[in-house]
Amino acid sequence: MQRFTGRLTDTGRPALAFGGDYNPEQWPEPVWAEDVVLMREAGVNLVTVAVFSWALLEPVEGEFDFGWLDRVLDLLHSAGIRVDLANATASPPPWFSSRYPQSLPVTEDGVRLSYGSRQAFCPSSPDFRRAAGALTEAVVRRYGEHPAVVLWHVSNEYGCHNAYCYCDVSAAAFRDWLRRRYASLDELNAAWGTAFWSQRYSDWAEILPPRRSGTWVNPGQQLDFRRFSSDELLDCFRADAAILRAHSRQPVTTNFMSFFAPLDYFRWAPELDLVSNDHYLIAADADPAEELAMSADLVRGLASGQPWLLMEHSSSAVNWQPRNRAKAPGEMLRNSLQHVARGSDGALFFQWRASTAGAEKFHSALLPHAGRDSLRWREVTELGAVLGRLGELAGSVVEPAEVAIVHDWPSRWAAGLDSHPSVDVDPMASTRQLYSVLWRSGVRCDFVPVSGPFTGYRVLLVPQLYLLSAEHARALAGFAEAGGTVLVTYFSGIVDPADHIVTGGYPGLLRELLGIRIEEFFPLLTAESVPLTGYGNGRIWSELGRTEGAEVVAAYAAGPVAGSPAITRNPVGPGPGSAWYLGTTLADRHLDDVLARVLAEAGVEPLVAGLPPRVEVVRRRAGTTSYTFVVNHTGEPVPVGLAGTELITGSPVEGTLLVPPGGVRVVRG
Amino acid sequence: MQRFTGRLTDTGRPALAFGGDYNPEQWPEPVWAEDVVLMREAGVNLVTVAVFSWALLEPVEGEFDFGWLDRVLDLLHSAGIRVDLANATASPPPWFSSRYPQSLPVTEDGVRLSYGSRQAFCPSSPDFRRAAGALTEAVVRRYGEHPAVVLWHVSNEYGCHNAYCYCDVSAAAFRDWLRRRYASLDELNAAWGTAFWSQRYSDWAEILPPRRSGTWVNPGQQLDFRRFSSDELLDCFRADAAILRAHSRQPVTTNFMSFFAPLDYFRWAPELDLVSNDHYLIAADADPAEELAMSADLVRGLASGQPWLLMEHSSSAVNWQPRNRAKAPGEMLRNSLQHVARGSDGALFFQWRASTAGAEKFHSALLPHAGRDSLRWREVTELGAVLGRLGELAGSVVEPAEVAIVHDWPSRWAAGLDSHPSVDVDPMASTRQLYSVLWRSGVRCDFVPVSGPFTGYRVLLVPQLYLLSAEHARALAGFAEAGGTVLVTYFSGIVDPADHIVTGGYPGLLRELLGIRIEEFFPLLTAESVPLTGYGNGRIWSELGRTEGAEVVAAYAAGPVAGSPAITRNPVGPGPGSAWYLGTTLADRHLDDVLARVLAEAGVEPLVAGLPPRVEVVRRRAGTTSYTFVVNHTGEPVPVGLAGTELITGSPVEGTLLVPPGGVRVVRG
Amino acid sequence: MQRFTGRLTDTGRPALAFGGDYNPEQWPEPVWAEDVVLMREAGVNLVTVAVFSWALLEPVEGEFDFGWLDRVLDLLHSAGIRVDLANATASPPPWFSSRYPQSLPVTEDGVRLSYGSRQAFCPSSPDFRRAAGALTEAVVRRYGEHPAVVLWHVSNEYGCHNAYCYCDVSAAAFRDWLRRRYASLDELNAAWGTAFWSQRYSDWAEILPPRRSGTWVNPGQQLDFRRFSSDELLDCFRADAAILRAHSRQPVTTNFMSFFAPLDYFRWAPELDLVSNDHYLIAADADPAEELAMSADLVRGLASGQPWLLMEHSSSAVNWQPRNRAKAPGEMLRNSLQHVARGSDGALFFQWRASTAGAEKFHSALLPHAGRDSLRWREVTELGAVLGRLGELAGSVVEPAEVAIVHDWPSRWAAGLDSHPSVDVDPMASTRQLYSVLWRSGVRCDFVPVSGPFTGYRVLLVPQLYLLSAEHARALAGFAEAGGTVLVTYFSGIVDPADHIVTGGYPGLLRELLGIRIEEFFPLLTAESVPLTGYGNGRIWSELGRTEGAEVVAAYAAGPVAGSPAITRNPVGPGPGSAWYLGTTLADRHLDDVLARVLAEAGVEPLVAGLPPRVEVVRRRAGTTSYTFVVNHTGEPVPVGLAGTELITGSPVEGTLLVPPGGVRVVRG
């Protein structure tokens, strides 16, 4: 597996990538020249080209028109701007959908979606796959050796609008996938529990996707359909990536979308030469900067800790939320450097020049509708300059954290199925709440897959890991036995990978590790809470149970489960290992207190102690050189004890760095 | 009509049924032996078998495999456990749906539902009916004489997910049903009022189910489609019941769902040998125990006052609500005995052993995931013991109440149609509010159909009986003329059975009885209320009108209908009869006051006077022996003036019974 | 173009129309005679007949049955009641839909709607158009010379339930429409911006309606589909109107629905001989009387200031809102005279006699279910008498206002498309807020199309005119240059008619006129507000920008755009002209203050100064005679300085008219 080496944008010396999606086909050719001039003015060194160019590149099936793209690439090359070239398969053109209507995706209700927006293809469609492969091959044969091209961009945001297709072609592909997964129909029947509700299949041909039914479709069928759907799109990627690699030596990527639910990125990431990611702030989020940090930490986990590339974010507002907040002065720079601090070797944007037509015309861009005479453009050029001063960071790696959060897509899928104890159980919410405690307290954190490895960490946080294999459960126990601290939140370890309950007391797969035994769940109603003997009240969830070896940190203090343990701590192994359990949802400030104790016992401290909340400190490292980022999200200047050279201002730092309100500083030490 | 005789579970002496759905096909055969041992430990004496076993019993069309079921029944029989045997038609297997896709139901939008969940069949499908009949015949031929089988369980919760089908086959069946209902197309056109909106049918073949249209489909068409849909499923039941009766002498039932909207159970009940019912608490209900009591009283009404059977309830949480509340310690026993107190000859559960896979794995069971080492199991065995001590109650009947509430499905359907004065008008809400007053005040209540008979009652409550025939209106008047008290709430007596307004002043069909004349409805907006001259404020509804003979108990005190009567009382007939009218929705405490006056005037008193609210007292009677149940839903011990023998504790009661908090006592007197 | 002349109901002397929809087919023939007697009692002089009579008039395709309608028309004529005769095409009968299922409309999801309600036809269906034309011809040949018929009523509320059809026939019609709009496919591709998202069309045949897709369909495609859909129904009208005009000299109308979103009534109105309108109060509206006034002012604008006809309103509650409020005593008369005051030459109702069956049986009528013995009937006869006394107003015109609001359907459509900065931007809400200020302050207002002319006005209000052509932008500027005052609210002038952003700073098309330059939108989140330096806080919207010539009236006082202009005033031209800009949404009371200043500077005053809010004063004029209406919506008597003769009471007015609470007075002066 080839990994990003920090050289994508290298024009003599290491550089961080700066630029974005460049869609010149929206503009008359004279504008292109102006584009390149302005790109140089802003310091742009990498642009993504041709993502949505299929209709122009192949106006008639099998007939390609590369003339315009030749001119674009040559123009960019002449200006020293590198290109992340798309294979242009992201959205098939109208002629394709019109000629191959069976390639259009079908909803669970049987509605065949129309074209006219984007990404209107069934992931299993043989017509789509054949046509995409042909286009990919034509593109790579044309540009595989083009000197401007430094990266291949396969498709775009896979599954954003077509993650699930329920058509007959998909049904057949689903059956093929199931035949590979299960040795026999009996095995499938057992895994899905079809003995109940008279669902036993007597022939593979009877199996369908989980289309709209009168009530809940078999959960095994639903879960396997999610696994299949992620794999099916991954197959699309694999096929096109293989063609690109056969004709070019440049690395291949596709842009992820952080915690995007439908795709198991931990299965995808090893197939990419470089992990890249799209990230957009959510206006209604309680703390968008915190959410950004969490996203970036996940992406670094997907990249196994290596540098990755922020393929898309926005200079300001997007257009797809109900109310699209613009970025305040300084926010774009902070956002960009947050990503860099957490491992991105650059900051790319969607898109270069704001569209004047089409569905994304109100999406911000590097060059806004208002043009150069705008605060936004001045901020863009400032960002380009700042990134230019940070070029030496390219290729450096983020210093590993002492705390890791376990994240697992199949478990999220299973936990999110219907007919469960409570709709309020939400692994993402539990993950975010834990992350928030760490972020506000300045403790760095990695994301790791449930398969590990967990070596090097002091604390593992395991939020609502509902589905778990016996092997992975053993690995968690092994971590604690080796001296680590595990903290598990409720509704973890309930089912095996087939979504079968492990009986004998919950959480069957983690009972021994946690030293508890839960007899029955007592979900709480909306607005209901239950007092604890410590750490406030519990919300959403409570349980009837007892400890079997664990110490009770807090118990339920009233209600039907009064006396049952709510928070426990189980000493594990011969060393300092322990396994904590949180049986309910605490208020943030009480969770702060619990985690403070957990972290203190495990000896975990922030990189820089004593800072106020929302002053973010992260460190990248290249050999013996460290780069410490301080992002001040507060409205006050903050002194930070650091020494070295500040790279943005170019000033020496002697013991104390004063970071201005809303400012960012990077100290080489 | 054969009626339940209390002998289903009789193994020498009368017994109440205890047990539940037993789905052994989910488990390997060795587990079955353990099941039977544990059933005996818990006191189980009746289990329902094979509800969802079609796929196993008939793995290939026309080829039956009864081996496993033979062994299950023999095993149960050897342990003295009786069987309620299903004809196994509740859910057709995948091979069936796959071979006969036209048998799958179709939504009003034209979406043909898929299989993969349960109950995926069109009620009118000839393929389904033929296959169900063949299976029923095979099952009854095999087990019609089996000594363990004491009851036949036809299908399961008819209409739960397929009450309405809009396919072409259903359309043809609907037309056939209409031809039977109407002597001619002219008569149908008149009944539906098709002269308006250019809807006149010129050929029967033009008539369709009320599929999705641009706006409101003809209300007559909608109402008749509901009647048809209830009848169509009833035909399914009738056909299979006839086959069972042809080959077995055991009684036949199917499990109702209390107030389930789509089925007119008053039309269904006479077709059953034994009325059985499924009841589940609603976690978000304001008072689940009150709702349970109301349900049980309805079911007893369906059973014409005879004993009935609680076929399913839950030991704790279910899995199909947004937030599934578990039952507190003691609650399961109270729930079970509430049902018994109100006429059930036992308490069965869904299901025996908690599933580990499938859509209902988070539904509680008698044997929980945690196994025997659990509070739940201890409560189950305690319940078995308690029911064992109450065996002599089997066959006794609940003492008739002095108050009855009129319930009518077609009127509910019609009242719930679109394009009405206010979406807040809700006959179920009005019924519940009246029931709540009675329940909290300790006054017992029956439910009766609008066709009566009403003999024996002092008070008839008539909540929002929008649709009414002239004949039934006369019967209500006759009741008052004979000295009874009728209380009618607004939006009653508005239309005839064809949903035609009776003109000349509302409520046309009840004007004379009530001695009022309403000129016009004045529905209130959300959060709007109007002050009355007494009994607080009205919500949801007000009216412009005048009395014509009735006494004004309260009038509107402000707003556009100020001065119009809001609550009236009309003396009727030569005796003490009277007819009350409530023209608006009162707050609970004011409705309490109105009903207190109504009940006092009618001489209705609680069984035991002076008890605090939520202490439930009900009486069953067998000959001269009475069984008085006291269910204490409060958190305090409550003394109750009773004498006799308490059956649960076996203690004599001499004048005062002290019922512990949350406890139940049954006094034989 | 023939215009209404006030003679429709003239039976010797001028009269205002009074009556409504008369659907005798719902009743047996003996009722018809009673109807006519009661109509005369009430003073009815015009009824609309046969709107939904297709099924009766043409029971078999091509075979007509006019016998019953002959009798109805003769009966009405004999009583001197005029007839607005429908061509009866509003709703095709079941035999038609059953025989021509392709004529049924299809939703964007592909659901073909069923018949059974009303108006179930695809506007582009050739079968429907042929059948409607044949029926129209049969009707007009039969009744073109009938002496009772004074007006032709084509179809009914076009597009109420079938404004958009996505079937293949509509797709072909859409393509034909596009071929007429665009000279070439290249031009269409440019207009729709298909270069983005790979949407370029290579063949006209590839183009489809904006059916359900994975995400936002191309906005150009959506916008043109709305234009097409309005035009397609207009073609239906045109075709039938041409047939009527070929065989009859009576005027032709179809009933509009005020601000009904799907139809561009400014394109429709010139095709009508008489503009007629249906208006219903919205129960949940903050001030229904204000909304009524706004509607009536729009309709007068559609009629170019000429008299129009209120074709339908309601005597009391309707049946199609969630909670249908009845009208308080006096409200129906006030509503009716509000319409007359604002230009209607009468007041018609839906419908004459309340239905007893069908979907509209709970819709109020002139003759209620309660019959003649009702307050409603007494109010109806009173209204008939009052209208009778106002007959001389027929043909008079409303005195033009000094203030006009610009209204433009295509801009509303474009502004309402998806993927915009904020879902809270709502041109109708902005229009209403401005109108409300005027109405409460007694300042009269007209509605004008964006194409003008604007001559005669002092102030033009331009609420959220998102889409604007350069030509119309110039006309707005010309108005200010000529001395007028323009007030523009935010999100105006952003795009050209192809929905393309005008770049270089917002609002591109109005920057120069307003003397401002906005760099970037900063939409506010739900419940967020931003303080201004004056006039309170802004909600929904804020902006980063600067003035370029305008005076800052108020600026943002905090937040990311602090210092940017929020309210500005730009002096324009050599005279007193000015252009105001409102960059955010103000609270009502602050908008009152801003507009008070704007109106004062422009010299605009209420017709009668010093009146309390909600006392409505409007004036019609015929030659030198004026008719001043005063509608007192308050609960107090109000003195108004007027002189002349009051027509309702017949009393002379000498300087001061005392208008009773809730009363209406009309003074001829």
Side-chain angles (χ1 to χ4, degrees), chain B residues 622-643:
Chain B
T624 58
T625 309
S626 73
Y627 300 95
T628 304
F629 286 71
V630 185
V631 187
N632 182 0
H633 296 281
T634 78
E636 305 295 328
V638 174
V640 181
L642 285 172

Side-chain angles (χ1 to χ4, degrees), chain C residues 428-453:
Chain C
M428 278 308 303
S430 183
T431 301
R432 174 68 182 273
Q433 199 192 15
L434 291 172
Y435 188 89
S436 177
V437 175
L438 301 179
W439 194 72
R440 284 179 287 108
S441 62
V443 172
R444 293 165 302 157
C445 160
D446 294 339
F447 279 87
V448 292
V450 67
S451 57

Side-chain angles (χ1 to χ4, degrees), chain B residues 174-475:
Chain B
F174 183 39
R175 287 189 290 267
D176 289 344
W177 184 93
L178 291 168
R179 281 172 178 274
R180 292 191 296 273
R181 184 173 180 85
Y182 297 105
S184 67
L185 200 51
D186 280 350
E187 194 176 302
L188 176 145
N189 276 307
W192 288 10
T194 60
F196 193 43
W197 279 12
S198 189
Q199 296 173 341
R200 184 169 187 84
Y201 291 96
S202 57
D203 191 307
W204 288 99
E206 293 161 10
I207 303 175
L208 294 175
R211 294 174 180 166
R212 176 83 64 202
S213 191
T215 181
W216 309 302
V217 173
N218 181 290
Q221 185 180 358
Q222 291 191 61
L223 178 57
D224 275 348
F225 188 69
R226 296 208 182 181
R227 291 182 170 117
F228 156 78
S229 296
S230 175
D231 284 1
E232 201 68 0
L233 282 166
L234 180 53
D235 276 353
C236 291
F237 171 78
R238 273 199 201 101
D240 289 352
I243 294 168
L244 293 170
R245 287 170 182 140
H247 299 281
S248 167
R249 286 162 305 172
Q250 300 299 352
V252 175
T253 192
T254 187
N255 44 344
F256 288 169
M257 291 176 284
S258 311
F259 289 92
F260 182 61
L263 301 188
D264 181 355
Y265 286 144
F266 277 120
R267 279 174 71 87
W268 280 64
E271 309 275 345
L272 278 62
D273 298 324
L274 166 69
V275 167
S276 66
N277 191 62
D278 296 354
H279 182 266
Y280 292 98
L281 301 183
I282 301 299
D285 192 277
D287 189 341
E290 175 186 298
E291 192 281 332
L292 184 160
M294 182 168 86
S295 161
D297 286 346
L298 172 77
V299 177
R300 186 176 67 256
L302 294 171
S304 303
Q306 294 302 305
W308 52 278
L309 183 60
L310 178 65
M311 184 63 85
E312 295 181 19
H313 70 152
S314 68
S315 70
S316 189
V318 298
N319 63 314
W320 45 266
Q321 300 178 21
R323 293 156 194 87
N324 295 286
R325 198 177 59 85
K327 294 192 178 178
E331 187 174 1
M332 177 182 69
L333 190 138
R334 282 197 305 280
N335 292 165
S336 297
L337 294 188
Q338 278 188 280
H339 284 292
V340 172
R342 292 175 185 274
S344 177
D345 265 6
L348 305 187
F349 289 81
F350 177 86
Q351 61 181 334
W352 162 250
R353 182 187 279 268
S355 297
T356 59
E360 302 208 58
K361 61 179 170 291
F362 286 111
H363 193 297
S364 62
L366 293 175
L367 185 61
H369 291 142
R372 291 180 69 246
D373 179 6
S374 62
L375 175 63
R376 192 60 56 197
W377 177 255
R378 290 189 292 280
E379 289 210 330
V380 163
T381 57
E382 181 198 350
L383 174 60
V386 166
L387 289 173
R389 282 171 230 143
L390 300 179
E392 65 184 273
L393 274 93
S396 65
V397 295
V398 174
E399 210 173 67
E402 295 173 318
V403 179
I405 297 179
V406 174
H407 193 77
D408 186 59
W409 268 268
S411 180
R412 264 172 77 194
W413 298 334
L417 293 180
D418 45 40
S419 64
H420 272 205
S422 169
V423 295
D424 294 328
V425 174
D426 176 355
M428 279 308 302
S430 184
T431 300
R432 174 69 183 272
Q433 199 193 15
L434 290 172
Y435 187 90
S436 177
V437 175
L438 302 178
W439 194 72
R440 283 179 287 110
S441 62
V443 172
R444 293 166 303 157
C445 161
D446 293 340
F447 279 86
V448 291
V450 67
S451 57
F454 308 137
T455 45
Y457 294 111
R458 292 171 180 271
V459 175
L460 268 190
L461 304 180
V462 184
Q464 290 179 355
L465 190 64
Y466 164 70
L467 176 152
L468 188 60
S469 70
E471 174 195 351
H472 294 153
R474 278 193 301 273

Side-chain angles (χ1 to χ4, degrees), chain C residues 112-247:
Chain C
R112 191 171 289 277
L113 297 177
S114 190
Y115 53 97
S117 60
R118 67 174 194 178
Q119 207 179 56
F121 63 87
C122 160
S124 303
S125 165
D127 293 319
F128 172 76
R129 292 190 175 194
R130 185 191 65 243
L135 176 63
T136 303
E137 178 148 354
V139 169
V140 72
R141 282 183 179 275
R142 183 87 177 186
Y143 302 111
E145 310 280 317
H146 194 290
V149 175
V150 294
L151 183 63
W152 291 105
H153 186 288
V154 180
S155 193
N156 184 63
E157 296 183 346
Y158 269 111
C160 191
H161 313 296
N162 66 345
Y164 307 109
C165 176
Y166 299 80
C167 76
D168 290 343
V169 168
S170 296
F174 183 38
R175 288 189 289 267
D176 289 345
W177 184 93
L178 290 168
R179 280 172 178 275
R180 291 191 297 272
R181 184 174 179 87
Y182 297 106
S184 67
L185 200 51
D186 279 351
E187 195 177 301
L188 178 146
N189 276 308
W192 288 10
T194 61
F196 193 42
W197 279 12
S198 190
Q199 296 173 340
R200 184 170 186 83
Y201 291 96
S202 57
D203 191 308
W204 289 99
E206 293 161 11
I207 302 175
L208 294 175
R211 294 174 179 165
R212 176 82 63 201
S213 191
T215 181
W216 310 302
V217 173
N218 181 289
Q221 185 180 359
Q222 292 191 62
L223 179 57
D224 274 348
F225 188 69
R226 297 208 181 180
R227 291 182 170 118
F228 156 78
S229 296
S230 175
D231 284 0
E232 201 69 359
L233 282 166
L234 180 53
D235 276 353
C236 291
F237 171 78
R238 272 199 201 102
D240 289 353
I243 294 168
L244 293 170
R245 287 172 181 141
H247 298 281

Side-chain angles (χ1 to χ4, degrees), chain C residues 459 461 485-487 580 593-604:
Chain C
V459 175
L461 303 180
T485 300
V486 178
L487 183 147
W580 287 72
D593 293 344
V594 173
L595 257 71
R597 182 175 157 194
V598 170
L599 296 173
E601 287 185 11
V604 174

Side-chain angles (χ1 to χ4, degrees), chain A residues 40-247:
Chain A
R40 292 182 60 99
E41 177 179 320
V44 165
N45 58 17
L46 180 65
V47 293
T48 300
V49 176
V51 168
F52 292 112
S53 302
W54 191 340
L56 292 190
L57 291 179
E58 190 181 8
V60 175
E61 184 161 18
E63 297 179 17
F64 298 95
D65 172 12
F66 288 117
W68 68 273
L69 186 53
D70 289 351
R71 296 193 294 281
V72 168
L73 293 192
D74 292 349
L75 186 63
L76 291 165
H77 184 57
S78 70
I81 298 165
R82 304 302 203 204
V83 172
D84 166 38
L85 186 60
N87 66 336
T89 63
S91 203
W95 65 253
F96 176 82
S97 306
S98 182
R99 179 178 288 188
Y100 302 105
Q102 302 301 315
S103 71
L104 290 162
V106 170
T107 70
E108 62 178 344
D109 281 335
V111 177
R112 191 171 290 278
L113 297 178
S114 189
Y115 52 97
S117 60
R118 67 174 195 178
Q119 208 179 53
F121 62 87
C122 160
S124 303
S125 164
D127 293 318
F128 172 76
R129 292 190 176 194
R130 184 192 66 243
L135 176 62
T136 302
E137 178 147 355
V139 169
V140 72
R141 281 184 181 274
R142 183 86 178 187
Y143 301 112
E145 310 280 318
H146 194 289
V149 176
V150 295
L151 182 62
W152 291 104
H153 187 288
V154 179
S155 194
N156 185 63
E157 296 183 346
Y158 269 111
C160 190
H161 313 296
N162 66 345
Y164 308 109
C165 177
Y166 298 80
C167 76
D168 290 343
V169 168
S170 296
F174 183 39
R175 288 189 290 267
D176 289 345
W177 183 94
L178 290 168
R179 280 172 178 274
R180 291 192 296 271
R181 183 173 180 88
Y182 297 105
S184 67
L185 201 51
D186 280 351
E187 194 177 302
L188 177 145
N189 276 307
W192 288 9
T194 61
F196 193 43
W197 279 12
S198 191
Q199 295 174 341
R200 184 170 186 82
Y201 291 96
S202 57
D203 191 308
W204 289 98
E206 294 161 10
I207 303 174
L208 294 175
R211 294 175 180 165
R212 176 82 64 200
S213 191
T215 181
W216 309 301
V217 174
N218 181 289
Q221 185 180 357
Q222 291 190 62
L223 179 58
D224 275 348
F225 188 69
R226 297 208 181 181
R227 289 182 171 118
F228 156 77
S229 297
S230 175
D231 284 1
E232 201 69 359
L233 281 166
L234 180 53
D235 276 353
C236 291
F237 171 78
R238 273 199 201 100
D240 289 351
I243 294 168
L244 293 171
R245 287 171 182 140
H247 298 282

